[in-house]
């Protein structure tokens, strides 16, 4: 597919986080865009409407394909028997998954792909922030909204490099290949490997194998940057052709914590205070620094830019603070992410009580055979809480969970379990929040719990 031939693109399942951002990015370039989805939620709904791209009706309409778009981009949440997909196949219209399309649009760019079970969004975001701070031209595709960027996707004609968050989840309902296998990177990062997506990768070995394939796709003269302290990463990032590929291991950036602030210790720049905190983020900083170094960013410029990096949305995002209490929101839902995020907040504020609330929302987290992976994940919390919605379990056609099962899985007798959002909110608002922090971890929304009311009650 040559970029200059594209004038009209149709997106199937355009309402997703990354898909609607791609639609907006292509619209910004002047292309004709159409799309469909059976459900479109905020903020995608308002953003598409503002750009004039919101479908008139939700649902699938194969007649839209009769307009013969130059290409169709297929979102993962569409089904293989999708009526619009079938019509596109009948008409022999080129069909691409999101990663395939990004690759085709960046063939002439240096492709940097950040993969890992945890830390890939933050690492990608740090790199993007640094490059923007320095005025460098670059394209990108990242899985979270970042301050200073109005889109999560950018595709231009003149940027020499593209920064891509490389998700290991499947690319589309037809090929079912991990996304990060399709970007064909020049520089790759593996931030960590911790079994996830049990519905697709039913055992840890199969999951780890996807990262081994990703590592071995590093081309001659390419670079593989990896977390040298992660045992699972070590198994896949073993140097095989060191004469052909550059292997760079990294660890936790040297640092200290003073009065709730993180101070980086550097050889030439001295001490650098940054807004980020947590051991996992200090690894992400090291990974981002190695990437930036490979593309010509000097250490002084990297640290100067880092001072103003506030983090990506829902990645230890501070949504409220008053006196000696802070409310953090984080996307953490996989065991390794939950453990790292909980430990980070407690380590940063050891003198404060930590109330950590985890919503079990994904297929993996609600699966009884996967639950033991959470053992010890909330141990650092003074008040560990788990919430799940019975409706979500019913919708996913899974077996109902009990409080005893969750306490056993988490290996935590102190665990407080809720399956009613109103009861959870009442419990949280009735607590004494003097010298205490609240950490909310979820890829969902606690059954639309009223966050503004909760924030006011806590602070």
């Amino acid at each position: 597919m040559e970029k200059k031939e594209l004038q009209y693109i149709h997106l199937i399942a355009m309402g997703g986080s990354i898909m609607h951002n791609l639609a907006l990015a292509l619209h910004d370039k002047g292309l004709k865009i159409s799309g469909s989805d059976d459900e479109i939620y905020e903020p995608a709904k308002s953003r598409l409407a503002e750009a004039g791209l919101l479908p008139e009706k939700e649902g699938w309409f194969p007649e839209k394909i009769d307009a013969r778009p130059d290409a169709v981009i297929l979102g993962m949440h569409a089904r293989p028997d999708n009526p619009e997909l079938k019509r596109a196949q009948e008409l022999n219209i080129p069909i691409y998954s999101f990663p395939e399309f990004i690759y085709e649009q960046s063939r002439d760019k240096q492709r940097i792909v950040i993969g890992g079970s945890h830390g890939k969004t933050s690492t990608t975001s740090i790199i993007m922030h640094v490059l923007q701070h320095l005025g460098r031209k670059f394209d990108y595709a990242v899985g979270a909204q970042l301050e200073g960027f109005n889109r999560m996707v950018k595709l231009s004609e003149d940027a020499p490099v593209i920064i891509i968050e490389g998700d290991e989840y499947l690319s589309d309902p037809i090929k079912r290949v991990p996304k990060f296998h399709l970007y064909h990177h020049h520089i790759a990062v593996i931030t960590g490997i911790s079994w996830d997506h049990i519905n697709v990768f039913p055992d840890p070995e199969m999951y780890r194998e996807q990262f081994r394939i990703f590592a071995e796709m590093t081309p001659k003269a390419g670079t593989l940057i990896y977390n040298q302290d992660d045992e699972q990463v070590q198994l896949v990032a073993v140097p095989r052709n060191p004469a052909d590929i550059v292997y760079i291991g990294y660890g936790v950036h040297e640092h200290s914590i003073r009065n709730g602030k993180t101070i980086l210790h550097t050889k030439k720049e001295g001490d650098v205070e940054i807004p980020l905190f947590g051991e996992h983020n200090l690894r992400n900083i090291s990974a981002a620094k190695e990437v930036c170094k490979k593309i010509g960013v000097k250490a002084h410029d990297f640290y100067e830019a880092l001072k103003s990096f506030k983090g990506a949305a829902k990645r230890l995002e501070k949504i409220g603070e008053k006196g000696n209490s802070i409310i953090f929101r984080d996307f953490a839902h996989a065991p390794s992410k939950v453990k790292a995020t909980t430990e980070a907040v407690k380590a940063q504020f050891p003198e404060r009580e930590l109330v950590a609330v985890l919503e079990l929302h994904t297929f993996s987290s609600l699966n009884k055979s996967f639950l033991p992976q959470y053992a010890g994940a909330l141990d650092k919390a003074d008040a560990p809480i788990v919430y799940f919605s019975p409706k979500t379990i019913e919708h996913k056609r899974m077996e109902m969970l009990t409080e005893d099962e969750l306490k056993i899985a988490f290996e935590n007798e102190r665990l407080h379990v809720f399956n009613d959002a109103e009861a959870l909110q009442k419990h949280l608002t009735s607590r004494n929040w003097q010298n205490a922090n609240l950490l909310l971890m979820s890829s969902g929304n606690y059954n639309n719990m009223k966050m503004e009311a909760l924030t006011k009650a806590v602070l």
Side-chain angles (χ1 to χ4, degrees), residues 1-3 5-12 19 22 26 31-36 64-75 84-85 87-89 91-98 100-102 104-105:
M1 178 176 67
E2 294 183 11
K3 291 182 287 185
E5 295 180 354
L6 292 178
Q7 295 180 352
Y8 172 29
I9 297 176
H10 181 81
L11 292 88
I12 299 176
M19 285 288 283
L22 176 59
L26 295 173
L31 277 69
K32 179 182 177 182
I33 301 298
S34 63
S36 300
K64 289 184 178 182
I65 309 301
D66 293 339
R68 300 251 179 191
D70 299 315
V72 166
I73 302 176
L74 178 63
E84 295 183 10
L85 171 60
R87 182 63 59 85
Q89 291 170 328
L91 297 177
N92 292 316
I93 293 171
I95 300 167
Y96 299 89
S97 64
F98 174 85
E100 287 175 319
F101 184 81
I102 295 294
E104 291 293 344
Q105 293 292 294

Side-chain angles (χ1 to χ4, degrees), residues 302-320:
F302 177 82
Y303 289 117
E304 190 62 32
L306 197 59
K307 292 177 184 177
S308 57
F309 180 70
K310 297 179 181 179
K314 296 184 180 180
R315 268 67 178 183
L316 269 179
E317 179 183 6
K318 187 186 296 185
I319 61 173

Side-chain angles (χ1 to χ4, degrees), residues 248-295:
I248 302 173
Y250 68 89
V252 176
H253 197 293
E254 189 178 351
H255 70 287
S256 61
I257 301 172
R258 303 172 192 164
N259 300 318
K261 302 292 184 181
T262 299
I263 312 296
L264 299 182
H265 303 313
T266 73
K267 292 180 180 178
K268 295 183 178 181
E269 307 305 318
D271 288 352
V272 180
E273 182 179 317
I274 60 170
L276 292 185
F277 66 88
E279 185 175 288
H280 62 303
N281 274 327
L282 291 159
R283 292 186 192 278
N284 298 336
I285 289 170
S286 293
K289 185 174 182 291
E290 294 295 346
V291 170
C292 288
K293 183 178 179 181
K294 289 296 296 184
I295 56 177

Side-chain angles (χ1 to χ4, degrees), residues 410-443:
F410 279 78
E411 295 183 3
N412 194 325
E413 280 297 320
R414 298 180 295 115
L415 196 67
H416 200 156
V417 178
F418 289 88
N419 59 15
D420 181 276
E422 289 186 9
L424 171 60
Q425 184 152 357
K426 184 177 180 180
H427 172 78
L428 293 175
T429 55
S430 64
R431 289 184 63 95
N432 180 359
W433 289 100
Q434 286 296 316
N435 201 40
N437 288 334
L438 173 60
L439 171 60
L440 301 167
M441 294 176 285
S442 177
S443 59

Side-chain angles (χ1 to χ4, degrees), residues 210-280:
Q210 310 313 311
F211 288 90
R212 183 195 64 76
I213 295 169
F214 176 60
E216 293 189 354
M217 291 181 74
T218 305
K220 285 187 176 183
T223 300
L224 178 61
I225 300 168
Y226 63 96
N227 181 352
Q228 63 189 12
D229 299 325
D230 188 303
E231 292 182 2
Q232 294 298 307
V233 173
Q234 291 172 12
L235 293 174
V236 306
V238 178
R240 289 178 171 80
N241 299 299
D244 298 333
I245 297 170
V246 177
Y247 292 84
I248 302 173
Y250 68 89
V252 176
H253 197 293
E254 189 178 351
H255 70 287
S256 61
I257 301 172
R258 303 172 192 164
N259 300 318
K261 302 292 184 181
T262 299
I263 312 296
L264 299 182
H265 303 313
T266 73
K267 292 180 180 178
K268 295 183 178 181
E269 307 305 318
D271 288 352
V272 180
E273 182 179 317
I274 60 170
L276 292 185
F277 66 88
E279 185 175 288
H280 62 303

Side-chain angles (χ1 to χ4, degrees), residues 35-46:
S36 300
D37 211 325
D38 55 355
E39 291 180 317
I40 302 179
Y41 300 104
E42 296 294 352
K45 193 169 187 176
S46 295

